[in-house]
Amino acid sequence: MTTETATLALAKQLIARASVTPDDQGCQELLAERLQKIGFTVEQLDFGQTKNIWARRGSGAPLLCFAGHTDVVPSGPEDKWTSPPFDPTEHDGRLYGRGAADMKSSIAAFVTACERFMAAHPDHAGSIALLITSDEEGDALDGTTKVVDVLKARGETIDYCIVGEPTAVDTLGDTVKNGRRGSLSGNLTVKGKQGHIAYPHLAENPVHKAAPALAELTAAEWDRGNAYFPPTGFQISNINGGTGATNVIPGELNVKFNFRFSTESDSDGLKRRVHEILDKHGLNYDLQWTLSGQPFLTEAGRLTEAAQAAVAEICGVHAELSTSGGTSDGRFIKAIARELIELGPVNATIHQIDENVELSALPKLSAVYERMLAELLV
Ligand SMILES: [Zn+2]
């Protein structure tokens, strides 16, 4: 098999397995077989329904780890797809199928990059690992986070981590994520006293009490961001109050809101400031918090430079560093990784009907990963 077709062949084998989260459908067994053949020791670290593998070759430093997920989101109505979602199909220079972009092509590219790299540099420096989970798209409770706990307990640390999430906007290599914002949600209930709208002195209107506080929250400056992050943002997603009747002052007002926050703020500080504003306005309230992820950042350095050099050489484009978008498993791995980036194919069709990736992106992505191995481990 040629370099051109090896990644495509493996991506197709993975897409043909309908690994809707967290059911792995044998994807990881297939990967384990390939990795064992080139000298990896593969550990299976399953928790609940979730399958995870930690495959490592070598014991020395530095350790470069490729990370990703074999699970996919459901296909949605199959009859809306141009070709069946779990029947990988080449068409118009593209590969179609659920997981083609998110992220089975990246996983295939990890493996073929390692295969070629081992053949060319059997005595390379450091170690290489793959951390693969079947629970990234679901609850993500038994996946990467649990594997990281195991590694942490053993005192293992990763020097360079490359997550294969689809990060490109228009063309392969145009975007490398070097961090993500944190996400903190609040569920606020402001309490008043229900009454007749014509007798407001006998009631207490929680909408009127909350309005100035909400105005202050929406206008506040939480931080100014930094070189890598935009300023922290506060957004209200839901606001509910009232009985439906036009002559009743409501007894309660419910407000749901979310912070996407930079590394200039921390979750405790944001909580404290929200409470200060609510207290200042004399509100009687309940407030429940949910922290989905802390922000993380890898400053420009050895790993981002290796990524940018590889992308420039193979794809002929400049890779922008970005911290935009939702959260990823990188948030768990960063706890044990010195430097971590995300680099994968174009994300325009992920989670959609007719998800696809450009055929030419597959060998290129594999070549980018191989080039980074050579840069960091030789
Ligand atoms: Zn993904």
Side-chain angles (χ1 to χ4, degrees):
M1 202 173 294
T2 66
T3 302
E4 283 293 307
T5 55
T7 309
L8 174 62
L10 180 54
K12 282 180 162 179
Q13 282 183 286
L14 292 169
I15 293 167
R17 290 167 160 78
S19 54
V20 176
T21 189
D23 181 3
D24 186 60
Q25 289 284 319
C27 288
Q28 292 180 14
E29 278 163 47
L30 179 66
L31 299 173
E33 255 170 54
R34 292 278 284 255
L35 293 168
Q36 276 160 343
K37 269 189 206 149
I38 49 169
F40 279 84
T41 304
V42 180
E43 266 182 86
Q44 212 170 310
L45 296 166
D46 298 346
F47 297 95
Q49 305 273 78
T50 301
K51 291 206 174 302
N52 305 294
I53 53 176
W54 171 251
R56 181 169 177 156
R57 184 181 191 275
S59 55
L63 170 60
L64 185 152
C65 173
F66 292 109
H69 59 90
T70 44
D71 59 327
V72 295
V73 295
S75 63
E78 293 205 16
D79 58 340
K80 294 254 167 38
W81 284 69
T82 309
S83 52
F86 299 107
D87 182 4
T89 305
E90 291 175 52
H91 177 63
D92 282 345
R94 292 172 175 277
L95 172 64
Y96 287 83
R98 174 56 84 227
D102 186 9
M103 55 176 278
K104 288 178 167 175
S105 295
S106 309
I107 303 265
F110 290 163
V111 174
T112 55
C114 288
E115 287 170 345
R116 289 193 313 277
F117 179 72
M118 301 309 180
H121 306 278
D123 302 316
H124 64 83
S127 318
I128 306 175
L130 276 82
L131 194 177
I132 308 289
T133 182
S134 74
D135 178 28
E136 196 271 348
E137 301 286 11
D139 300 333
L141 296 174
D142 287 329
T144 301
T145 184
K146 288 272 172 74
V147 178
V148 167
D149 286 345
V150 170
L151 298 174
K152 211 190 283 177
R154 288 184 199 163
E156 293 203 51
T157 54
I158 295 167
D159 295 282
Y160 307 115
C161 183
I162 303 166
V163 184
E165 287 294 343
T167 51
V169 180
D170 296 315
T171 178
L172 179 67
D174 64 10
T175 309
V176 167
K177 304 259 192 214
N178 64 323
R180 298 272 190 163
R181 291 180 295 175
S183 176
L184 173 68
S185 297
N187 186 358
L188 170 69
T189 304
V190 180
K191 295 168 185 174
K193 186 179 174 204
Q194 186 174 319
H196 195 295
I197 209 144
Y199 300 90
H201 55 290
L202 300 177
E204 200 182 327
N205 194 325
V207 180
H208 293 200
K209 302 252 332 178
L214 297 182
E216 191 168 336
L217 288 169
T218 55
E221 180 184 271
W222 305 95
D223 60 48
R224 293 185 175 177
N226 55 34
Y228 299 101
F229 288 94
T232 291
F234 170 91
Q235 289 291 320
I236 292 175
S237 61
N238 286 272
I239 181 159
N240 291 293
T243 60
T246 55
N247 60 354
V248 178
I249 290 171
E252 280 188 357
L253 175 71
N254 179 261
V255 182
K256 293 184 170 64
F257 61 84
N258 176 266
F259 282 104
R260 288 299 154 112
F261 62 105
S262 78
T263 46
E264 295 297 304
S265 289
D266 65 75
S267 51
D268 287 340
L270 293 171
K271 288 181 190 174
R272 194 166 52 241
R273 281 187 62 193
V274 169
H275 283 286
E276 274 166 18
I277 291 170
L278 299 175
D279 293 341
K280 190 176 91 186
H281 288 273
L283 301 187
N284 178 12
Y285 65 91
D286 261 350
L287 176 50
Q288 259 117 43
W289 294 100
T290 309
L291 177 66
S292 327
Q294 296 283 4
F296 60 90
L297 174 69
T298 294
E299 296 202 30
R302 190 98 164 80
L303 183 58
T304 60
E305 279 160 20
Q308 285 173 320
V311 164
E313 185 185 312
I314 312 281
C315 311
V317 297
H318 172 70
E320 270 325 313
L321 299 183
S322 162
T323 59
S324 68
T327 192
S328 84
D329 272 1
R331 71 195 141 140
F332 303 124
I333 305 171
K334 190 65 177 71
I336 56 164
R338 222 157 38 80
E339 297 181 42
L340 178 146
I341 58 160
E342 298 173 37
L343 170 56
V346 171
N347 57 26
T349 63
I350 60 171
H351 296 204
Q352 295 182 13
I353 302 280
D354 285 346
E355 177 179 347
N356 69 81
V357 65
E358 261 186 297
L359 285 168
S360 62
L362 286 111
K364 276 193 206 163
L365 185 58
S366 178
V368 166
Y369 294 150
E370 184 190 3
R371 189 76 202 77
M372 292 181 70
L373 283 167
E375 176 64 29
L376 296 164
L377 297 185
V378 173

